[in-house]
């Protein structure tokens, strides 16, 4: 089948999010054809170029999110009126209703957002043929703060989606939306929505600078609506859209579904709405800006969850977030990230023969940033040294990008020097600090497997964590671990390591000391951890899971089209065989409102693969 892979700030670029797992997925599913639709986040990312792409990637289309030139489109009177009405509806849906009220308080991370309950009856096919009227609520089961207001939240979600698709249709009809989104009429429509009765309390206090900031953010987030990806052998010709994240990355998939009925699969290894809440808490925006942006992203998340045929969270922690944000439980399929186990095989299978491990060494591996809470780790290590004076701590990793990462690393080094003055065996020996800061590729740590192999116990001290990749790598290496109970840590460990509360240096120290003093227990836990990692977290299980999900979606929601070859003759097997599986999903479906007449039943020519490096 032909897959449209939708990415934001990652694959196929050399740097960015989800780069590795996307590459492994594409390479592992060589029987399918992939079209990559990538949104870049910065000029630097584009300048770094792409990774080497496999032959099953037939084309690559990119668009920058970090900049957008004015499209030069001048609207006539009718188009201006259409834009004012649609944008006003979108702004009103963001500012009003119980879901927006939750966002008012939900600028804190723990709150939910608008439910995905509203369903339109204009012919858009829901998950596996499920259709409900716009007054019904979704079967999310986890709306949290909404309580009995779910029906109203569903109406607001439906209102947001209708306005979003009307803007997309306007962009298609007029040739772009960038200039209109930057216009004074957009700011005035937003101001009217903020001043309307029932608007968010924080929104009513928005000043002109706040409105300008919010309007600019909306314009950036809605740039995919103006792209030319949705017709003319674009996303309209794929069998399935697979978005590698929610939010803006999934917008092209929403429009392909709206215009052409292409089913949408959304994978979230890190829930985008949660990431937005965490980021907004540290930016320092005005309360009105935070509230409005939280409401907007909540509405967008709700629409993505409502429209997706299936959602694949990367762990139970992400799954709970999705349910709380309005996702239908029947759409959820947990798929753990696939990681390359072979690179850690030598350490995991032959540790003692290699003679790597130091029984008195603790190892921490990761990106150095405040969320990793190395301060608590250093204080914990001070307690450990009181019980086990020979113990050493190796901190392996580079600081996070930006000045904050370098500042935090300097602070950690200063604290380590203060807590552990250089020690020497005698008056003529050179002093040595028991805490070392190292990076992968240096003389002491040439490779990542050797970093894990150098210690008896691997420590994770984070206060915020999604899917703990370093923990899985330690498990592949057969190492005993001590971790804090954050994110998906408990789910990943599954009883093969020790887990303590976050921000508790004493508990962390006691767990480490217990393992340092019991080598047999370390060996048992390490062996169990490796077996668990090989069962659940390999690339092979990830690829197998997505292959089955692709077949499930296409068999239930096939795209109806006639595929022809260059001579205009029907192409044998041009449509996946799964589209012919008998069942109610093979019945003809109503076309979504706004689908262009020229696309109804028009044949689509088979795509001739081009070299990956020549994709536009």
């Amino acid at each position: 089948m032909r897959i449209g892979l939708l990415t934001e700030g990652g694959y196929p670029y050399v740097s960015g999010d989800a780069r590795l797992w996307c590459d492994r997925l594409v390479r592992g599913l060589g029987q399918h054809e992939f079209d990559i639709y990538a949104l870049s986040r910065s000029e630097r990312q584009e300048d770094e170029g792409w990774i080497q792409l496999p032959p099953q990637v037939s084309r690559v289309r990119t668009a920058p999110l970090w900049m957008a030139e004015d499209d030069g489109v001048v609207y006539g009177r009718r188009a201006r009126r259409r834009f004012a009405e649609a944008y006003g509806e979108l702004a009103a849906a963001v500012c009003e209703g119980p879901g927006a009220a939750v966002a008012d308080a939900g600028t804190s991370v723990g709150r939910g957002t608008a439910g995905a309950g509203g369903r339109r009856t204009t012919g858009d096919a829901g998950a596996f043929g499920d259709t409900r009227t716009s007054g019904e609520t979704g079967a999310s089961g986890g709306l949290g703060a909404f309580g009995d207001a779910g029906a109203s939240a569903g109406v607001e979600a439906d209102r947001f989606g209708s306005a979003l698709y009307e803007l997309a249709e306007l962009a298609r009809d007029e040739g772009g939306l960038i200039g209109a989104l930057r216009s004074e009429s957009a700011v005035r429509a937003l101001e009217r929505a903020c001043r309307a009765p029932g608007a968010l309390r924080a929104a009513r206090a928005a000043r002109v600078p706040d409105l300008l900031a919010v309007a600019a953010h909306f314009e950036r987030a809605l740039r995919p609506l103006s792209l030319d990806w949705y017709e003319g052998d674009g996303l309209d010709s794929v069998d399935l859209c697979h978005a590698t994240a929610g939010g803006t990355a999934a917008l092209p998939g929403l429009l392909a579904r709206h215009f052409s009925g292409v089913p949408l699969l959304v994978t979230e290894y890190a829930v985008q709405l949660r990431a937005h809440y965490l980021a907004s808490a540290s930016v320092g925006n005005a309360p009105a800006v935070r509230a409005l942006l939280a409401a907007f992203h909540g509405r967008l998340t709700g629409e993505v969850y409502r429209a997706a045929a299936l959602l694949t969270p990367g762990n139970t922690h992400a799954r709970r977030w999705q349910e709380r944000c309005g996702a239908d439980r029947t759409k959820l399929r947990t798929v753990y990230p696939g990681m390359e186990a072979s690179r850690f095989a030598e350490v995991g299978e032959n540790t003692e023969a290699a003679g790597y491990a130091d029984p008195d060494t603790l190892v921490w591996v990761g990106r150095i940033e405040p969320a990793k809470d190395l301060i608590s780790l250093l204080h914990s290590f001070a307690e450990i040294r009181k019980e086990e004076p020979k113990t050493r701590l190796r901190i392996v990793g580079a600081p996070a990008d930006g000045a904050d990462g370098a500042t935090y690393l300097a602070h950690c080094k200063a604290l380590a020097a203060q807590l552990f003055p250089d020690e020497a065996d005698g008056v003529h020996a050179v002093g040595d600090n028991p805490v070392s800061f190292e990076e992968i590729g240096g003389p002491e740590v040439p490779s990542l497997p050797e970093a894990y192999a150098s210690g008896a116990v691997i420590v994770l001290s984070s206060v915020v964590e999604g899917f703990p990749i370093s923990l899985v790598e330690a498990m592949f290496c057969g190492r005993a671990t001590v971790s804090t109970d954050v994110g998906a840590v408990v789910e990943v460990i599954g009883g093969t390591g020790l887990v303590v509360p976050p921000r508790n240096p004493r508990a962390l120290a006691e767990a480490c000391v217990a393992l340092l003093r019991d080598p047999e227990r370390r060996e048992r836990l390490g062996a169990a951890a490796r077996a668990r990692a090989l069962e659940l977290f390999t690339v092979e299980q990830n690829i197998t899971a997505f292959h089955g999900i692709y077949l499930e979606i296409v068999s239930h929601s096939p795209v109806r089209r006639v595929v022809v070859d260059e001579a205009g003759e029907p192409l044998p097997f041009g449509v996946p065989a799964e589209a012919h599986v008998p069942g109610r999903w093979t019945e003809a479906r109503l076309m979504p409102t706004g689908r262009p007449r020229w696309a109804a039943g028009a044949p689509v020519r088979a795509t001739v693969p081009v070299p990956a490096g020549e994709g536009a």
Side-chain angles (χ1 to χ4, degrees), residues 7 20 224 377 521:
T7 69
L20 290 177
L377 177 60
R521 187 184 184 190

Side-chain angles (χ1 to χ4, degrees), residues 34-52:
F34 284 86
D35 294 348
I36 310 300
Y37 292 82
L39 301 170
S40 64
R41 288 181 180 168
S42 67
E43 184 177 11
R44 175 184 176 184
Q45 185 178 56
E46 292 193 350
D47 291 341
E48 289 174 346
W50 302 345
I51 64 173
Q52 184 67 37

Side-chain angles (χ1 to χ4, degrees), residues 2 33 233 236-239 559-576 601-607:
R2 187 175 179 184
E33 178 184 357
D233 198 27
D236 59 325
S237 63
V238 303
D239 299 300
V559 181
R560 297 300 176 199
R561 64 168 65 94
V562 178
V563 182
V564 297
D565 59 19
E566 292 297 331
E569 297 295 327
L571 185 68
F573 308 108
V575 177
V604 178
R605 295 192 177 277
T607 301

Side-chain angles (χ1 to χ4, degrees), residues 231-391:
E231 59 187 37
D233 198 27
L235 285 174
D236 59 325
S237 63
V238 303
D239 299 300
L240 167 70
C241 284
H242 184 179
T244 59
T248 303
L251 257 180
L254 286 180
L255 301 190
R257 178 182 180 275
H258 176 71
F259 289 134
S260 304
V262 179
L264 173 63
L265 169 66
V266 179
T267 296
E268 285 192 307
Y269 286 131
V271 178
Q272 291 296 102
L273 186 60
R274 175 179 179 269
H276 168 77
Y277 286 157
L278 290 171
S280 64
S282 60
V283 170
N285 287 325
V289 176
R290 292 200 303 269
L292 288 170
L293 296 187
F296 172 80
H297 285 283
R299 295 296 187 207
L300 180 58
T301 297
E303 181 60 24
V304 169
Y305 290 173
R306 184 203 67 80
L310 287 179
L311 300 166
T312 52
N315 51 72
T316 302
H317 178 67
R319 183 181 182 125
R320 287 197 298 265
W321 262 91
Q322 289 178 334
E323 290 182 3
R324 189 173 181 84
C325 294
D328 188 337
R329 289 182 178 179
T330 62
K331 295 182 178 182
L332 300 178
R333 307 283 191 277
T334 300
V335 179
Y336 293 118
M339 299 177 60
E340 194 65 54
S342 59
R343 65 186 301 201
F344 304 103
E346 181 181 354
V347 175
E349 296 173 358
N350 198 25
T351 301
E352 292 186 5
Y356 285 132
D358 182 342
D360 297 320
T361 298
L362 304 174
V363 176
W364 180 95
V365 178
R367 183 175 55 198
I368 298 175
E369 58 185 348
K372 305 302 182 182
D373 198 16
L374 293 182
I375 302 301
S376 290
L377 177 60
L378 291 171
H379 284 289
S380 174
F381 186 61
E383 298 295 323
I384 295 171
R385 292 275 293 180
K386 295 177 182 178
E387 301 292 331
E388 298 292 330
K390 294 183 179 180
T391 307

Side-chain angles (χ1 to χ4, degrees), residues 257-587:
R257 178 182 180 275
H258 176 71
F259 289 134
S260 304
V262 179
L264 173 63
L265 169 66
V266 179
T267 296
E268 285 192 307
Y269 286 131
V271 178
Q272 291 296 102
L273 186 60
R274 175 179 179 269
H276 168 77
Y277 286 157
L278 290 171
S280 64
S282 60
V283 170
N285 287 325
V289 176
R290 292 200 303 269
L292 288 170
L293 296 187
F296 172 80
H297 285 283
R299 295 296 187 207
L300 180 58
T301 297
E303 181 60 24
V304 169
Y305 290 173
R306 184 203 67 80
L310 287 179
L311 300 166
T312 52
N315 51 72
T316 302
H317 178 67
R319 183 181 182 125
R320 287 197 298 265
W321 262 91
Q322 289 178 334
E323 290 182 3
R324 189 173 181 84
C325 294
D328 188 337
R329 289 182 178 179
T330 62
K331 295 182 178 182
L332 300 178
R333 307 283 191 277
T334 300
V335 179
Y336 293 118
M339 299 177 60
E340 194 65 54
S342 59
R343 65 186 301 201
F344 304 103
E346 181 181 354
V347 175
E349 296 173 358
N350 198 25
T351 301
E352 292 186 5
Y356 285 132
D358 182 342
D360 297 320
T361 298
L362 304 174
V363 176
W364 180 95
V365 178
R367 183 175 55 198
I368 298 175
E369 58 185 348
K372 305 302 182 182
D373 198 16
L374 293 182
I375 302 301
S376 290
L377 177 60
L378 291 171
H379 284 289
S380 174
F381 186 61
E383 298 295 323
I384 295 171
R385 292 275 293 180
K386 295 177 182 178
E387 301 292 331
E388 298 292 330
K390 294 183 179 180
T391 307
R392 303 185 65 84
L393 172 63
R394 301 183 71 175
I395 296 177
V396 182
D401 294 336
D404 291 344
T407 301
Y408 187 72
L409 174 59
H411 180 51
C412 291
K413 287 182 175 181
L415 179 61
Q418 179 182 352
L419 292 175
F420 312 102
D422 289 347
E423 301 172 354
D425 295 332
V427 294
H428 300 292
V430 177
D432 184 24
N433 195 296
V435 179
S436 61
F437 292 84
E438 306 162 59
E439 291 191 28
I440 301 294
E444 298 295 330
V445 190
S447 67
L448 186 60
E450 289 179 299
Y452 291 109
S454 64
V457 178
I458 309 301
V459 185
L460 184 144
S461 55
S462 302
V463 293
V464 176
E465 194 75 52
F467 186 85
I469 293 177
S470 63
L471 207 55
V472 177
E473 293 171 341
M475 294 168 70
F476 280 134
C477 291
R479 285 295 180 266
T481 60
V482 176
S483 313
T484 48
D485 185 4
V486 293
V489 165
V490 172
E491 180 182 1
V492 168
I493 288 295
T496 65
L498 304 186
V499 180
V500 301
R503 292 193 179 96
N504 192 331
R506 179 173 297 180
L508 190 64
E510 290 176 355
C512 290
V513 169
L515 290 183
L516 288 170
R517 291 176 174 176
D518 193 342
E520 293 184 359
R521 187 184 184 190
R522 292 201 306 267
E523 185 176 352
R524 290 196 306 270
L525 289 175
R530 176 168 169 77
R532 178 175 175 81
L534 290 174
E535 178 183 0
L536 298 178
F537 307 124
T538 61
V539 173
E540 292 74 18
Q541 68 81 24
N542 182 270
I543 292 173
T544 300
F546 276 116
H547 178 63
I549 287 171
Y550 285 176
L551 296 182
E552 179 182 0
I553 292 176
V554 172
S555 65
H556 287 75
S557 305
V559 181
R560 297 300 176 199
R561 64 168 65 94
V562 178
V563 182
V564 297
D565 59 19
E566 292 297 331
E569 297 295 327
L571 185 68
F573 308 108
V575 177
E578 293 78 16
H580 303 290
V581 176
R584 59 184 174 84
W585 49 81
T586 61
E587 301 173 359

